[in-house]
Amino acid sequence: MTTTPAAAATPFAEAIDAPVPFRRLVPLAAQHVLAMIAAPVSTVFLVAGTLTMPPGATASLLSAVLLLCGAGALLQSLGVWRIGGRLPFVMLPGGAATALFLQIAQEHGAPTAAGAVLLAAALLLAVLPLYARVVRLFPPLVMGVTVLLIGIAMIRVAARLVTGPDGTGEPHAVLLAALTVAATVAAYVLLRGVWRQSSVLIGMAAGTVVAVTTGLGAFAPAAGSGFALPAFLPFGTPRFDLVAALPLLVFSLTTLAEITGQTVLNSETVGRTPAPERDVPRVARADALVSLAGGLFGTSLMVTSAENIGIGRLTGVRSPFVTAGAGVLLVVLGLATPVSWALAGIPEAVVGGSALVVYAVIAVMGVEMLRRADLSGTGTGSLTAALALTMGLLPLLSPDLYAGFPGWARTILGSGVVAGTLTAVLLTALLGRFGSRTAPVTHEEPRTPAFRRSPPTAARTPDVRAVREPGRSARARRR
């Protein structure tokens, strides 16, 4: 097997197919679980708080999410036929997808949101034969607009967990949320390694302790013991409404660009020659199939995450059997009802404080993606971004702007994410041609293609260009 620069940069790198002894497999798998557990836990509590789910239903939803995360990690790591990339991946509930799921649930009901998940997963499967054409519709500019609008919209939703539906927050709830944010920031700044990656979970734990010890909130876990399966169709029979599902349908297409970046980055990290045309459809199929199961158990779209790629680089252990072991641990946690039922008692203000951090980070990721796009005054990128953000922010700043429009138009234009993303896609296609004719000739280095950049995740992974840095010559680095 050819050694890549990424592999050469890690002094204790092992081959991707090298066996891992059991005594090493368990702690390495546990390390991966610690690095990603905050995302599913915080996502479930955000959904439960927004939809006012009782503790028992919250615990069942958490069990479902952990089981699906484990099944997804196993599928992506080991692969079955043409499903799964056979790379050391884990799977998480998508933060942006959860935001859109909640938006649909609040406007059209939870059964419609569950149906939207099923439709979006089916669409992702259907477009894979056209992968090369679809992924071109979502360059960094379009992805940046989409992610930024999702983050902004969900900050408002997260704030309602603190203030309540009427928007008037009790001082003790606001203080508890602020202390949770402070604990999260402190954990992120002071800790290192997987503990730093778990700062959101540590912040939630600290906020719960403060709530119990100071009386600012109450910890009320649900009753349950032993092992049990999560509830099937917790929101009832899914309802299928294509117009209402449009935000998730559009987002499912944008994930192809994200999956491409993750797959290329992970392939180079483990020493495999990247083959997006072969591996990306396999990774996307696994995402779509697990998401179909998620729609039946009340979750939003499940997405493969690049969060754990950094652990593989640091440890030099690149075997997919390690992330498969993490999947087994997640399945055990999902079946152990005492764990999920205890976590279901976390105070709502604590969940709101953690959610504010998570979605603020998502908004900043959108800004970072826009920074990669060409927003110079000589091109059309700045105009495209400006108009797309305007269309996306109008429904947030003026909720009644489209009140007199037909229902289908209100659903499309009233969703900032859909309106902004569609505007960005259309303007990129239309204005891009004019920009290519008038763009001045420069002597800058060619931009790295979108699929070679690290995608937005809750914990950033190194850019592929940074991965390759150790292998560059001194002369190239000086340039």
Side-chain angles (χ1 to χ4, degrees), residues 69-80 89-90 323-328 331:
C69 288
L74 285 166
L75 193 57
Q76 293 288 22
S77 301
L78 303 180
V80 177
F89 272 131
V90 296
T323 47
V328 173
V331 170

Side-chain angles (χ1 to χ4, degrees), residues 138 142-143 146 249-259 421:
F138 302 99
V142 176
M143 290 288 292
T146 301
L249 295 176
V250 172
F251 179 79
S252 69
L253 298 180
T254 69
T255 60
L256 281 174
E258 183 176 350
I259 292 171
T421 302

Side-chain angles (χ1 to χ4, degrees), residues 3 13 19 52 71 97 103 120 148 173 178 293 309 322 373 453:
T3 302
T52 61
Q103 175 186 322
L148 177 57
I309 296 177
V322 173
R453 298 194 186 102

Side-chain angles (χ1 to χ4, degrees), residues 367-439:
V367 175
E368 172 66 17
M369 296 197 74
L370 284 175
R371 190 180 67 83
R372 300 177 191 165
D374 182 10
L375 299 181
S376 61
T378 57
T380 59
S382 58
L383 179 62
T384 299
L387 294 177
L389 288 174
T390 299
M391 289 297 295
L393 292 174
L394 277 175
L396 298 176
L397 300 176
S398 181
D400 298 326
L401 180 63
Y402 304 110
F405 283 60
W408 64 268
R410 289 199 304 271
T411 301
I412 297 175
L413 299 176
S415 169
V417 176
V418 173
T421 302
L422 291 180
T423 302
V425 170
L426 292 175
L427 291 180
T428 298
L430 294 176
L431 300 183
R433 298 180 180 179
F434 296 96
S436 61
R437 296 174 185 173
T438 60

Side-chain angles (χ1 to χ4, degrees), residues 9-420:
T10 306
F12 302 106
E14 298 177 354
I16 185 174
D17 54 355
V20 181
F22 183 78
R23 66 179 183 278
R24 293 184 61 205
L25 180 64
V26 174
L28 287 171
Q31 183 175 237
H32 279 278
V33 172
L34 285 174
M36 54 79 66
I37 194 67
V41 172
S42 58
T43 297
V44 168
F45 292 139
L46 178 62
V47 172
T50 304
L51 301 182
T52 61
M53 298 172 62
T58 303
S60 178
L61 182 61
L62 181 57
S63 295
V65 169
L66 292 176
L67 280 172
L68 291 171
C69 288
L74 285 166
L75 193 57
Q76 293 288 22
S77 301
L78 303 180
V80 177
W81 190 53
R82 295 182 181 179
I83 303 171
R86 297 182 182 177
L87 288 164
F89 272 131
V90 296
M91 193 173 289
L92 301 171
T98 300
L100 299 177
F101 174 85
L102 289 175
Q103 175 186 322
I104 297 172
Q106 289 182 309
E107 296 178 0
H108 304 280
T112 302
V117 173
L118 297 175
L119 290 173
L123 176 63
L124 183 57
L125 282 174
V127 302
L128 286 179
L130 304 174
Y131 157 71
R133 296 182 180 180
V134 174
V135 76
R136 292 174 186 158
L137 298 175
F138 302 99
L141 190 151
V142 176
M143 290 288 292
V145 168
T146 301
V147 174
L148 177 57
L149 290 173
I150 289 172
I152 293 173
M154 286 313 297
I155 288 174
R156 183 178 65 171
V157 173
R160 292 297 178 91
L161 293 176
V162 181
T163 63
D166 59 355
T168 304
E170 295 291 336
H172 67 85
V174 176
L175 178 59
L176 183 56
L179 292 173
T180 302
V181 173
T184 304
V185 173
Y188 185 83
V189 171
L190 299 177
L191 301 179
R192 294 293 182 268
V194 296
W195 297 108
R196 185 180 189 181
Q197 292 176 302
S198 302
S199 56
V200 173
L201 190 61
I202 293 172
M204 294 178 69
T208 303
V209 171
V210 170
V212 173
T213 56
T214 63
L216 294 176
F219 178 68
S225 61
F227 291 84
L229 293 174
F232 184 71
L233 296 178
F235 303 124
T237 304
R239 291 174 50 198
F240 299 100
D241 186 333
L242 285 174
V243 178
L246 194 57
L248 268 180
L249 295 176
V250 172
F251 179 79
S252 69
L253 298 180
T254 69
T255 60
L256 281 174
E258 183 176 350
I259 292 171
T260 303
Q262 291 168 343
T263 303
V264 171
L265 181 62
N266 206 358
S267 296
E268 295 196 352
T269 299
V270 302
R272 177 192 292 181
T273 301
E277 68 285 350
R278 178 197 65 198
D279 293 336
V280 171
R282 292 178 177 178
V283 174
R285 286 189 194 99
D287 280 6
L289 290 177
V290 177
S291 295
L292 284 173
L296 299 176
F297 286 96
T299 77
S300 185
L301 292 175
M302 304 292 293
V303 297
T304 294
S305 171
E307 288 183 359
N308 294 52
I309 296 177
I311 296 178
R313 285 179 49 77
L314 290 173
T315 61
V317 179
R318 302 172 297 171
S319 170
F321 293 105
V322 173
T323 47
V328 173
L329 291 178
L330 288 167
V331 170
V332 173
L333 288 176
L335 294 175
T337 55
V339 175
S340 54
W341 286 61
L343 292 174
I346 295 179
E348 194 172 77
V350 173
V351 178
S354 297
L356 287 173
V357 176
V358 171
Y359 290 115
V361 170
I362 288 178
V364 172
M365 288 176 182
V367 175
E368 172 66 17
M369 296 197 74
L370 284 175
R371 190 180 67 83
R372 300 177 191 165
D374 182 10
L375 299 181
S376 61
T378 57
T380 59
S382 58
L383 179 62
T384 299
L387 294 177
L389 288 174
T390 299
M391 289 297 295
L393 292 174
L394 277 175
L396 298 176
L397 300 176
S398 181
D400 298 326
L401 180 63
Y402 304 110
F405 283 60
W408 64 268
R410 289 199 304 271
T411 301
I412 297 175
L413 299 176
S415 169
V417 176
V418 173

